[in-house]
Each structure stands twice: as C-alpha cells, then as structure tokens.
Amino acid sequence: MRTRTGVHSPKSWRNLQDSRSDGLKAVPCITASDSQHPTEDSMAQNYDAIIIGAGQAGPPLARRLSDAGQSVALIERHLFGGTCVNTGCIPTKAMVASAYAAHLARRGLDYGVIINGDVRADMQIIKARKDRMSEQSRTGIEKMLRNLRRGAVYTGHARFRTAHEVSVGSQTMSADRIFINVGGRAVVPSMPGLDRVPFLTNSSIMDLDTVPPHLVIIGGSYVGLEFGQMFRRFGSQVTIIEMGARLVQREDEDISTAIQDVLIGEGIALRLNAQCIRISGDAGAITAHIDCAEGSPSVEGTHLLLAVGRQPNTDDLGLDTAGVTRDERGYIAVNDRLETNVPGIWALGECNGHGAFTHTAYNDFEIVASNLLNGGARKISDRIPAYGLYIDPPLGRAGLTETEAGRDGHKILIGKRPMTRVSRALEKGETNGLMKIIVDSQSQEILGAAIFGTGGDEAIHCVLDTMYARAPYPVLEHAMHIHPTVCELIPTLLEELAPPAS
Ligand SMILES: Cc1cc2nc3c(=O)[nH]c(=O)nc-3n(C[C@H](O)[C@H](O)[C@H](O)COP(=O)(O)OP(=O)(O)OC[C@H]3O[C@@H](n4cnc5c(N)ncnc54)[C@H](O)[C@@H]3O)c2cc1C
C-alpha cells in the first residue's frame, strides 16, 4: 500500500510496518478483534467512527482518528492492505523487477557481461519473493490496526443497516461518522464461454507458480501490459487482444505507438481493433474468438488473463438502505471533500471513481483527515492527475495529454525528445521511448508531461512538482539539474518548445 514500502510510504503512516508493534500494545482502550467483543443485534456497539475496508485510505485514517482520541471500528472482509498490497502494486512491481532482471541478464553481452548458460525464470522463486513482500506489508498493517489505542478490528463483510449502523455477521455497530474504503475488483465481462473456461484475473494470476506457455491477455491498458511484458520476459509466449485501435488509449498516439514498438520488439503479439466475442476450450488449450478486420479470427493459448477494467465493490454494501447515491457504474457519488449525499458518510479510494490508484486513495485519506482533524479545506479538485505505467521502460504521466489540452481549448506548445538523445539513457543502454512536455503558450503554465523512458516514473516528479507550485515553465527551464540524469533534459525540452504539428 502506500505503505508503499518495504519501507512503505513517505510519511509517518507509511512506516507502519515497523511501528506500533510495541508501545501502544500495552494500553488498548478498546480491544482489537471482533471475537473479543461480540455484540448482539439489539445492542449495537457505538464508536466515534466506522471504517469499512482496510485498503489504502482506511488504515491510515483509523490511525489518525485513534491518535486524535476517537474510537474507531475498522472492518475488513479479506486481506489487510487491499488490492495494492495483495494483488496490485506491490506484488506486480516485485514481479516486474524479476522480469527486468531476466531481461537484463539476457542482454548481458551488450554490457560486456558474459552469462554461461540459459537465462530462465523460476516462477516459484519469483512468486515466493513477491509473496514475502506482500505478506510483510499485510501483516504490518494488520498489526498496526490491532494495536491502535482506540481501535477495534472486525473481520467479515460489512453492510449498512441504516445510515449510521453497520453489521458484520451477527454484530452491529453504530457511529456518527462512517468512512467507506471498499475498493474495487477486476471486471469479468459477460462473454459467452467464460462460465466454462478457466480464466485468470489480477488476483488469481498471483497464484501461478509455473510460467504459462502461452498467455492470452484481453485488454491493452496498464494491467494487461504490465503482466504481458513480465510474462514474456519470464519466457511465455504472449498475445494481447485490444478492441481499440491502439494500446493505452488515454495516452497520446505517439506515446501509445512507442509503447507498442517496445512490446512488439520483445516478441509480444498484439491484436488491435479486435474485440473478443467468445471463449472456448479447456484448461491448457483456450481459444479466444475475436471480431476483427484483419488477421485470424481466433487466438489460441494455454492461459487467459482478463484485464478489461475494474468495478467498485459497492454492490453488496447496503448502500441503498443507507440512502447513499451511486452513479450508473456503481461508484459512490462524492463531492470535492469526499462526502457522500448522506451527512456523516464519506467514500475514499477507488470506490468513489475519482482515481484508481494507490496515490489517489491515499490522497483521499489526507484530504479527509486534514479537513476533519486539522480544520483544513482540502479538495480532490486540487490534485493533478498523475500515474505510472510499470512496463520497462516505465511511463510517468502528469497532468494533461496533448489531446486533452487541445480539447480544453489551450493554445499549446510542445517539447519532445526521443530517449536516444538523453545521455543517461544512452549510458544505461536503455534508449527506448520519448519524453514530451506540453505548456500553455499564453499563461506559460505547464499543462502536462509524459516521460516514457528509463527512470520515467521518478523523473516525471520534477514536472509534477513544478505544476503543483504553479510556477511558469521558465522557472523549470532555467533550473540547473544534475548531470547525468533523465531530468536534466527537461529544461532543454522547454528551450525547444514549438507548436504541435497539425
Ligand atoms: C495489477 C494491478 C496493479 C496495480 N499497480 C498500481 C501501481 O503500481 N500504482 C498505483 O498507484 N496503483 C496501482 N494499482 C491500483 C491500486 O492497487 C488500487 O487503486 C488501490 O489499491 C485502491 O485502494 P483502495 O483503498 O481504494 O481499495 P483496496 O485497496 O481495494 O481496498 C479495499 C478493501 O476493502 C475491503 N472490502 C471491500 N468490501 C468490503 C466490505 N463490504 N466489508 C469489509 N471489507 C470490504 C477489501 O477486502 C479490501 O481489502 C494496481 C491495481 C492492479 C489491479
């Protein structure tokens, strides 16, 4: 989670793995664990706050509220830490690191390093490594929660009984403030054949301890691409089926094309403009039947991964009973301060539809905690969209794309440079990709940037922070950056701004 760690997150909460396993344990005011204080339906246990879900926002909020002297019940139905810790960021980035090691080992000769013998991925070791990281984080979070001074942990599925009462099994609790942090899950489309053919999602693929001979992936956005490239590097044959004309369609075409070139260069088969309409076969011999203008109308593989999007875990939460409004896709409607339409109920993280990332969920926590406990006036509209796509090289994205900026009516200037012209990339032997920055020619505001190249996930922050500082682009243009880094080329990009080729 944005325990983001091993050492987890940057602020105090983010070091929780090491914390709270001692001091507070001795003085719990409310004992942790449901089994220790069962309450009958008729005698609801009252708390100052109830938090549903131990994902990226719930646990740090529980800690902040407890530290502020409030009694808190936190309810988790499955794994502490939620998606990021157990089936998302942490395990995938651990596996991406293994895939990178395999890739670099195969390229050893490029660097003058001789490896005698085959480079082969051992899926059991890879799995054990990522499992260790997830477990360390998960147990750290659970331990922190169970040791909160004013906290109680309930395990089970939470459901609203009224706008201020929640039940977990036979137990009921009430609070004036309820925070929903239930996250989301992989969408399983209603596609003929899927009920009879085994398939993987981002959760079940975590259990693989052998390398699939041929992994077929439906969906060409970030989840599909991360798994696609990593399994290709582990030795699988990989085919990605995408119904759109290009991968990662939220990005500009030049970025999508560069990503496609990298994946094709590694031997991944792409089927674009291809909509999967039916699945057939059995374990080990699966066929995806596709509606496509070009190429074969079927793709055969041994394993099938669905990566077609996420849906919020809001369908079985009793939200209607509580009167909480959802949109047509099931996301809980919130205002700029993350309040739902029902006073005293907030929704944080992926379930509110305002970001499907760990950093957006964590930022939701920071907004709510600041507003409730520190008299803050923070809003989600203050944040700048940003995300990382963790293929290799990684893509770091901040703010608007060129297409979005144009659509919003900005008069734009663009700076662009291939990674082949970045000294740091040349020295590292990693010259795939490009960097691109977009500014408003009139206001001199930086509107957005994409760095698809080595270190792009880190380097993007020099642009992001300048955007947060609302500094005009010449401030960054005139900054002296360290040589040799990817960031040192950002001022140069700004010197080379030009109108977009139309
Ligand atoms: C493969 C993959 C890779 C990813 N990589 C990244 C990445 O690199 N960077 C990034 O920023 N984001 C990444 N994400 C997205 C990120 O993991 C999620 O956006 C983030 O975890 C959402 O956090 P959350 O707190 O909203 O919900 P979650 O982390 O999903 O937590 C919700 C929790 O609520 C619990 N819950 C649900 N319903 C109930 C109920 N009724 N009662 C009790 N408990 C309940 C769930 O069990 C879960 O523990 C990735 C996602 C995937 C799938």
Side-chain angles (χ1 to χ4, degrees):
M1 98 185 220
R2 189 146 156 172
T3 63
R4 299 173 182 175
T5 141
V7 221
H8 294 199
S9 354
K11 300 181 184 170
S12 58
W13 148 250
R14 304 167 192 177
N15 289 317
L16 58 80
Q17 255 188 206
D18 315 318
S19 68
R20 299 297 161 129
S21 54
D22 44 18
L24 294 181
K25 210 169 165 177
V27 283
C29 294
I30 298 169
T31 45
S33 163
D34 46 343
S35 57
Q36 291 170 27
H37 49 116
T39 48
E40 297 303 324
D41 282 0
S42 56
M43 35 181 289
Q45 173 89 38
N46 185 257
Y47 296 93
D48 293 321
I50 296 171
I51 297 173
I52 306 175
Q56 296 304 298
L61 184 60
R63 178 150 112 175
R64 280 291 296 280
L65 292 170
S66 168
D67 286 352
Q70 300 190 17
S71 59
V72 186
L74 184 137
I75 309 159
E76 172 53 53
R77 72 175 177 189
H78 189 35
L79 297 174
F80 288 83
T83 307
C84 181
V85 165
N86 300 290
T87 58
C89 334
I90 289 182
T92 54
K93 267 76 260 182
M95 291 164 84
V96 162
S98 295
Y100 179 69
H103 181 67
L104 213 52
R106 287 190 192 104
R107 293 188 56 215
L109 201 55
D110 293 353
Y111 299 87
V113 176
I114 313 288
I115 295 176
N116 289 319
D118 284 350
V119 173
R120 192 175 58 82
D122 185 319
M123 209 53 217
Q124 291 187 1
I125 299 175
I126 291 166
K127 180 177 181 302
R129 178 178 181 273
K130 65 98 182 147
D131 284 348
R132 268 198 308 280
M133 289 180 202
S134 290
E135 195 202 348
Q136 195 183 11
S137 186
R138 185 170 58 246
T139 52
I141 292 159
E142 181 171 0
K143 200 168 177 182
M144 178 280 285
L145 290 170
R146 292 197 183 277
N147 285 319
L148 286 180
R149 191 185 294 267
R150 304 271 301 154
V153 172
Y154 292 78
T155 49
H157 182 90
R159 234 179 235 103
F160 280 92
R161 287 170 63 109
T162 69
H164 294 291
E165 282 183 318
V166 171
S167 65
V168 184
S170 63
Q171 301 171 95
T172 304
M173 61 214 74
S174 62
D176 286 343
R177 288 172 171 174
I178 300 180
F179 303 92
I180 307 170
N181 176 221
V182 291
R185 61 185 186 274
V187 166
V188 177
S190 52
M191 190 184 292
L194 266 186
D195 53 339
R196 293 184 298 279
V197 177
F199 62 84
L200 299 163
T201 64
N202 69 285
S203 301
S204 51
I205 202 169
M206 291 294 154
D207 298 330
L208 283 186
D209 59 5
T210 56
V211 175
H214 186 166
L215 180 64
V216 176
I217 300 174
I218 304 179
S221 198
Y222 80 98
V223 172
L225 301 194
E226 289 182 13
F227 281 116
Q229 190 189 46
M230 81 170 73
F231 277 99
R232 178 69 193 136
R233 290 178 170 194
F234 294 156
S236 298
Q237 204 180 323
V238 172
T239 305
I240 298 176
I241 301 170
E242 164 57 47
M243 65 192 270
R246 55 191 175 87
L247 300 177
V248 226
Q249 292 183 73
R250 74 171 80 166
E251 287 298 328
D252 288 328
E253 200 166 337
D254 48 4
I255 300 289
S256 277
T257 304
I259 290 171
Q260 280 171 213
D261 289 348
V262 167
L263 298 180
I264 291 169
E266 293 194 21
I268 292 175
L270 299 183
R271 297 297 310 270
L272 302 174
N273 291 309
Q275 188 166 2
C276 196
I277 45 174
R278 186 165 67 87
I279 303 293
S280 64
D282 283 308
I286 295 170
T287 303
H289 303 268
I290 55 182
D291 181 7
C292 55
E294 288 174 4
S296 165
S298 63
V299 175
E300 274 136 43
T302 57
H303 294 68
L304 176 70
L305 170 67
L306 299 180
V308 292
R310 309 268 304 160
Q311 69 180 88
N313 293 325
T314 55
D315 34 1
D316 50 0
L317 202 50
L319 289 173
D320 294 341
T321 314
V324 174
T325 306
R326 286 180 287 167
D327 70 15
E328 64 289 349
R329 292 187 305 149
Y331 289 99
I332 300 172
V334 291
N335 64 16
D336 218 10
R337 294 159 59 93
L338 297 149
E339 295 157 335
T340 69
N341 62 307
V342 176
I345 302 181
W346 287 254
L348 298 83
E350 214 172 303
C351 67
N352 65 28
H354 287 273
F357 299 103
T358 285
H359 44 273
T360 45
Y362 191 82
N363 187 249
D364 285 357
F365 144 68
E366 290 180 314
I367 290 169
V368 168
S370 165
N371 293 350
L372 287 180
L373 300 173
N374 300 112
R378 292 180 64 175
K379 318 188 282 301
I380 43 177
S381 55
D382 288 337
R383 68 188 179 208
I384 297 167
Y387 84 105
L389 166 61
Y390 292 91
I391 54 170
D392 170 40
L395 167 69
R397 139 82 43 212
L400 302 180
T401 62
E402 178 183 342
T403 313
E404 290 165 341
R407 203 184 291 149
D408 288 359
H410 291 279
K411 216 162 179 295
I412 58 174
L413 294 172
I414 292 181
K416 200 161 148 179
R417 169 171 285 243
M419 295 304 285
T420 46
R421 292 181 56 214
V422 174
S423 172
R424 182 75 175 133
L426 284 160
E427 290 142 12
K428 290 172 79 176
E430 299 185 344
T431 52
N432 283 326
L434 73 155
M435 50 169 70
K436 177 175 178 182
I437 192 160
I438 299 133
V439 306
D440 185 300
S441 61
Q442 284 156 342
S443 66
Q444 299 196 327
E445 182 190 359
I446 300 175
L447 300 173
I451 304 182
F452 175 52
T454 184
D457 52 331
E458 301 288 349
I460 194 69
H461 287 89
C462 86
V463 180
L464 187 59
D465 290 342
T466 311
M467 292 171 74
Y468 272 113
R470 298 191 183 285
Y473 76 80
V475 171
L476 186 52
E477 182 184 354
H478 301 150
M480 182 187 76
H481 283 179
I482 295 166
H483 173 76
T485 57
V486 172
C487 270
E488 76 174 322
L489 268 298
I490 305 280
T492 313
L493 279 188
L494 291 166
E495 278 166 19
E496 296 170 352
L497 289 173
S502 54

